Amino acid sequence: MPPILSVKAARALGTGTTVTVRAVVLNGAEMGNIRYIQDAEAGLALYAHPTKLPGYGELRAGDSIQVTGQLKTYNGLLEMDPIASVHKLASGQRLHALAVPAAQVTTAFTEANESRLIEVTGVKRLSTPAGTPAPTLASNANYLLDGQAGALMRVGGASTGPEGLVDATLPTAESFSVRGVLSQFAPGGTGGYQLLPRLASDLVPGGGSGTSAGSGPANSPLPGLTNQPMPVNVSPTGFTVVYSTTNPSDTRVRYGLDANQLKEVRTDATPTTRHSLTLSGLLPGTTYYVEVSSRNAAGLETASPVPVTTSGGKAARVSSQD
């Protein structure tokens, strides 16, 4: 079984490397054959033809997946292509956007944020590169956020229909926020960053200070789970579960052989945003279902269970979601 890496660690290995990551999907078919994914620290583009990779075409924003494939660069964008396998682990996960004020947006257009969800707050207008105001959006067209050079936003041709961006009207509020994935198109390999909103709902009336893509404020006092649990240091008899939260909170892990009967519990009351608990005394080559949750003064948040298999032989059970 290949090691499961964080997206940041996978990106660091570079092109030509085959990697396995767990992350949350940021978009669906409204962006064509590309899917962007992110975990707590970094993002990555995936590219595949849905007819050639079962389950890929059905991926939607908020799906937690495990995906294996080879890294390559396409016009400056690091992406996974070809993809060997993709498994949906859960759905309905919170999407956390990196919030940046419109006046500072170009500082966020960097390689470190490539393929991450970004929310630009306090936008007052969109204009074409020629400076013409844009009250509505056109297919496959470029716009500048507040007319700033280097703050490019692009509308794709696949985002159509009642919820799509094509022909969408901009909010009439004095200022608004624009959510989108930071992508890159640079035939020379550098620069060319562009913000790709997904649907009309990514144009949010009001200047805002960042939202969790439909899940409430990103700076909510709740723990703010930012990614699915990731196993590290996997051995025949155990593994360490790591995950992150936006705000300090305790660490709780439930696990068991049946996703509907998680009888074992481990906890750590120390408030933190970087959570880690080691599970031991497990069976070799066996799939366990792991659920993480965190609580602080504002309340409890829980992620959906995900499968993790110990090393040391053929798995005794396999995920019913594979």
Side-chain angles (χ1 to χ4, degrees):
M1 182 177 179
I4 301 172
L5 304 175
S6 69
V7 175
K8 183 178 180 179
R11 290 182 62 93
L13 295 177
T15 58
T17 309
T18 296
V19 297
T20 297
V21 300
R22 280 185 175 174
V24 177
V25 179
L26 300 178
N27 67 283
E30 71 275 5
M31 297 181 82
N33 290 340
I34 196 166
R35 297 291 187 275
Y36 292 91
I37 61 173
Q38 71 176 24
D39 60 12
E41 296 182 305
L44 182 66
L46 312 179
Y47 185 84
H49 291 278
T51 57
K52 298 180 180 179
L53 185 63
Y56 182 82
E58 287 72 48
L59 294 178
R60 297 291 181 267
D63 288 345
S64 174
I65 64 171
Q66 179 171 312
V67 58
T68 299
Q70 188 177 68
L71 298 179
K72 78 172 190 181
T73 301
Y74 176 77
N75 286 317
L77 178 67
L78 185 66
E79 61 183 24
M80 185 182 287
D81 175 23
I83 296 173
S85 65
V86 60
H87 300 286
K88 180 178 173 180
L89 304 174
S91 60
Q93 304 303 299
R94 293 166 62 93
L95 303 182
H96 291 265
L98 173 66
V100 56
Q104 301 172 21
V105 62
T106 55
T107 65
F109 279 32
T110 65
E111 189 70 15
N113 292 328
E114 183 186 86
S115 298
R116 294 184 67 184
L117 187 63
I118 291 180
E119 179 163 348
V120 184
T121 62
V123 178
K124 293 180 170 57
R125 63 186 175 89
L126 296 180
S127 63
T128 67
T132 305
T136 60
L137 302 178
S139 172
N140 294 318
N142 295 333
Y143 302 93
L144 297 178
L145 299 166
D146 281 347
Q148 299 179 76
L152 183 68
M153 185 194 94
R154 181 169 176 81
V155 174
S159 184
T160 58
E163 298 180 353
L165 282 166
V166 177
D167 296 328
T169 301
L170 297 185
T172 56
E174 181 179 347
S175 64
F176 55 94
S177 296
V178 179
R179 283 193 298 257
V181 179
L182 183 66
S183 189
Q184 185 178 20
F185 185 81
T190 59
Y193 295 107
Q194 51 188 3
L195 189 70
L196 306 181
R198 302 154 299 176
L199 297 165
S201 58
D202 281 332
L203 307 174
V204 186
S209 59
T211 66
S212 297
S215 302
N219 59 353
S220 165
L222 286 167
L225 291 167
T226 60
N227 62 327
Q228 283 288 311
M230 177 181 296
V232 298
N233 300 326
V234 179
S235 73
T237 58
F239 48 82
T240 298
V241 179
V242 298
Y243 66 99
S244 302
T245 54
T246 303
N247 300 302
S249 50
D250 68 8
T251 304
R252 302 163 182 247
V253 176
R254 293 202 308 153
Y255 63 99
L257 297 176
D258 186 329
N260 298 313
Q261 299 184 46
L262 304 177
K263 299 179 179 179
E264 301 295 329
V265 180
R266 298 287 186 273
T267 62
D268 184 340
T270 306
T272 183
T273 59
R274 300 284 183 178
H275 303 264
S276 175
L277 272 177
T278 298
L279 308 183
S280 59
L282 306 184
L283 299 173
T286 301
T287 296
Y288 288 84
Y289 292 87
V290 178
E291 174 195 274
V292 300
S293 61
S294 287
R295 182 189 292 276
N296 62 9
L300 176 73
E301 285 189 304
T302 303
S304 301
V306 297
V308 178
T309 303
T310 54
S311 59
K314 185 177 180 181
R317 295 172 62 93
V318 295
S319 169
S320 61
Q321 300 176 26
D322 285 357

